[in-house]
Every structure is written in C-alpha cells, then in structure tokens.
Amino acid sequence: MDTRKNIAVDRIVAEVDCLLAEQKPEAAHALLRVGLDMHDHARLWRLLRRVLLMLGDEVAAADVAARFIDHVHKPTPAELVMAGSPRSVFTPLSDHKLLYLHVSKCGSTTVKDILHHIMTGDRAAGHAHRQLSGMAASQSIDRSTLGTTHADWFKFLVVRDPVERLRSYLRFNILHAGDLVKSFAAGTVDAGRTRYMGLELRPDYGTFLAKLTRYRQVFPTLRAHTNAISDIAGTDPGIYDWVGPVTQMDDLRHELEVRSGVAIPAIHNFQTSDKATLATDHDQQLEDKVRDFYARDYEVYGHYF
C-alpha cells in the first residue's frame, strides 16, 4: 500500500471532500472506488472508511480500517478502535516514566495541563493538547506488551460514566464550540448551516441520544470523542497502575507529584460547566438505550465511575 505523496491522489481527495460537503456520500464512494482501482493508496483507504461509515456500513468500514491500519505512519485512536487493534495511543513522559492513555471527555485537558507542568513548570492554560504534542509525541503501543516494555513506568488513565461523557461532549464541543457546524472544506464555520445529512448540528439532548448511532457514523470527530473506553483502553484494567474517575483528579495529581518529584498546583480545567447549559429533560429509555450501547464500559470500568 502506497503512502507517498501523490498529486493524482490529492486531486481525488479534494473532489471527495467537495462531494461530502455537498452531502453526496454515494458519489464520493463511487469516486473512491475508481480511484482505488488506479492507486492503492493509504489516503484513499482512510477516506473510504469515513465514507462507508456515512453510508451506514460499519462492517465494511471496519474491514477497510483493518486493511490499512498497519501501513499508515500514525493511525488515529479512532482508526485503531475501528480496526480492532490491540494498540492504543499513549502520551509518554520518558524522563519521569509516566505513560498516560488519553480518553476523550475524561478530564484530559486537566491531565495534560498537569503533565505540561511537570515538564515545564508552567501552566498550559487550557492549551495542553496542542502544546504537549510538541514536547511528548504520542506513541501507538500494543497494550499486551505494557507489562514488558513499560514494566517500571507509571501507566494510568482517567475514566468517566459514558452518559456523563456524552453530556459533556454535547454541552461543550457541540453546543458551545460548534464542532458540527464547522465546514468540511477548510475548518471554517458555516454560520448558515443548521443540518448535515439530515442531522441537526446543534441538537437537543434527547435528539442527540436518540440518533447517537447515526451521529457517530456521519461525524468523525464526534465518533472519536464518543468511542467506548473499553474499545480505547481494552478490557483489562489490571494492565494500568492507576485507573480512576475525574472526581479523583486530586488523588492522581498527588500520585504524579510523588512519581515525578515535581510539586504540582491544583489544576482543574473542566471547561464544560460554564460554557453552555444543557436541558436534560428526556425519556429515561433513551439513556437506558445508551447505557446498553456502552454496556462493556459499565461492566469493565463501572466500579471506577
């Protein structure tokens, strides 16, 4: 599978992006199939996975992800999950032998601010995701090897009740930050767009829960933020030295102080609470359905929530 720069592939990708912006996934799919007949290229396979999800074919999308996952330089966490890979994407602090597994909407901004402070002595002021990536490059690691390759490292992750994760994502990322309103073409905001592929871009809580599966198929960033903890971190919490909920962030901070030898101030970058209100008047059956979707999370990690 080719991964090199290819001008013809660039043109196909640009055309597919335009078709998706025009809400024409079937045409995008046809164009990608023609393109793949000519170019066995990783960019096209990655884009095909996305289009297949938009068409609702999760099985085919997973097959495509499994096909390219070992050929791309840095697969995303969402791609690893879709491919059923045993690997996860960790943030390593080599000097202190700290290994953090980032799970979205589980206090990750606070954790990365803490890690940034350990490395620099300064606060990242809520920009730790971007700043830390330049100082502690993420690594894709097979979870089954952690006991050997990182035996003397402190391996940890923060978890959260799946329903609370969804509420946080809706409240901050969708309603406040407008994640779904952003155009596909250039990352700009199309202020006039209110729906995409039949889905409201600023849904209420009930609509979001009722159509969660479809939202996850259509919007890649939403899928990445709402993947199950057990799909990201695996089903054996015992491979980690510390697992805890966001409510125990101070305990984690103390543990990281001891491990790093760096005094860490109280850091709490929970951005959601004051950014947007969320009406949670809803049918209890909708939340129960969501809990069924995340059943393995509750089974494996539920006692930490």
Side-chain angles (χ1 to χ4, degrees):
M1 186 178 295
D2 194 4
T3 58
R4 295 168 298 178
K5 177 72 174 177
N6 185 312
I7 295 176
V9 168
D10 290 345
R11 291 196 196 98
I12 295 170
V13 170
E15 289 182 48
V16 169
D17 284 343
C18 288
L19 289 170
L20 294 183
E22 295 169 359
Q23 305 179 65
K24 298 177 179 178
E26 293 86 358
H29 178 258
L31 177 58
L32 280 169
R33 289 298 186 184
V34 171
L36 282 164
D37 285 341
M38 297 183 291
H39 309 281
D40 182 22
H41 200 283
R43 287 188 71 195
L44 299 182
W45 286 112
R46 293 176 105 167
L47 195 49
L48 179 62
R49 178 193 76 95
R50 174 180 162 190
V51 171
L52 286 169
L53 281 173
M54 294 180 71
L55 293 173
D57 196 340
E58 302 223 9
V59 173
D63 288 342
V64 167
R67 177 169 184 156
F68 70 68
I69 202 70
D70 292 326
H71 296 277
V72 296
H73 174 55
K74 278 199 169 185
T76 67
E79 288 172 338
L80 290 170
V81 166
M82 176 121 269
S85 173
R87 291 182 285 159
S88 295
V89 177
F90 292 84
T91 300
L93 268 62
S94 300
D95 289 347
H96 302 282
K97 292 191 173 181
L98 303 176
L99 196 65
Y100 168 53
L101 177 53
H102 170 193
V103 178
S104 295
K105 310 315 298 179
C106 292
S108 57
T109 302
T110 294
V111 174
K112 290 194 173 182
D113 242 7
I114 290 173
L115 297 180
H116 183 275
H117 180 83
I118 290 172
M119 296 185 72
T120 67
D122 295 324
R123 290 283 303 273
H127 301 288
H129 289 288
R130 175 174 49 83
Q131 294 186 22
L132 198 61
S133 65
M135 298 184 295
S138 61
Q139 295 180 7
S140 173
I141 304 172
D142 187 329
R143 296 185 298 273
S144 68
T145 69
L146 289 175
T148 302
T149 60
H150 296 77
D152 58 345
W153 288 53
F154 180 65
K155 304 169 285 291
F156 66 100
L157 75 152
V158 182
V159 296
R160 191 178 192 179
D161 183 290
V163 171
E164 290 301 317
R165 287 181 67 210
L166 290 177
R167 288 180 177 179
S168 175
Y169 183 74
L170 175 61
R171 187 163 49 231
F172 179 77
N173 299 75
I174 295 180
L175 298 181
H176 170 69
D179 272 10
L180 306 189
V181 180
K182 294 174 183 175
S183 72
F184 285 88
T188 56
V189 175
D190 178 0
R193 176 181 284 176
T194 61
R195 301 176 73 87
Y196 180 79
M197 296 293 294
L199 297 171
E200 296 177 31
L201 300 183
R202 295 185 184 275
D204 59 38
Y205 184 55
T207 300
F208 181 56
L209 293 186
K211 299 182 178 180
L212 179 62
T213 296
R214 188 61 184 143
Y215 272 104
R216 282 174 43 80
Q217 291 172 340
V218 170
F219 298 102
T221 185
L222 188 153
R223 189 179 191 91
H225 279 80
T226 60
N227 275 329
I229 299 168
S230 52
D231 287 337
I232 298 168
T235 56
D236 180 10
I239 65 176
Y240 305 101
D241 300 298
W242 191 95
V243 180
V246 293
T247 54
Q248 292 180 8
M249 199 67 76
D250 284 335
D251 295 340
L252 175 60
R253 177 172 59 87
H254 175 71
E255 185 69 35
L256 293 175
E257 277 188 328
V258 172
R259 299 273 178 172
S260 67
V262 176
I264 304 170
I267 296 175
H268 295 283
N269 273 328
F270 296 107
Q271 302 183 53
T272 303
S273 59
D274 61 345
K275 298 298 184 182
T277 58
L278 180 65
T280 56
D281 296 334
H282 54 272
D283 186 340
Q284 184 63 43
Q285 291 182 346
L286 290 175
E287 282 195 348
D288 289 343
K289 185 177 180 180
V290 166
R291 290 188 178 95
D292 288 341
F293 178 77
Y294 291 103
R296 191 165 57 169
D297 279 6
Y298 286 104
E299 177 185 350
V300 175
Y301 294 98
H303 61 286
Y304 295 106
F305 302 153

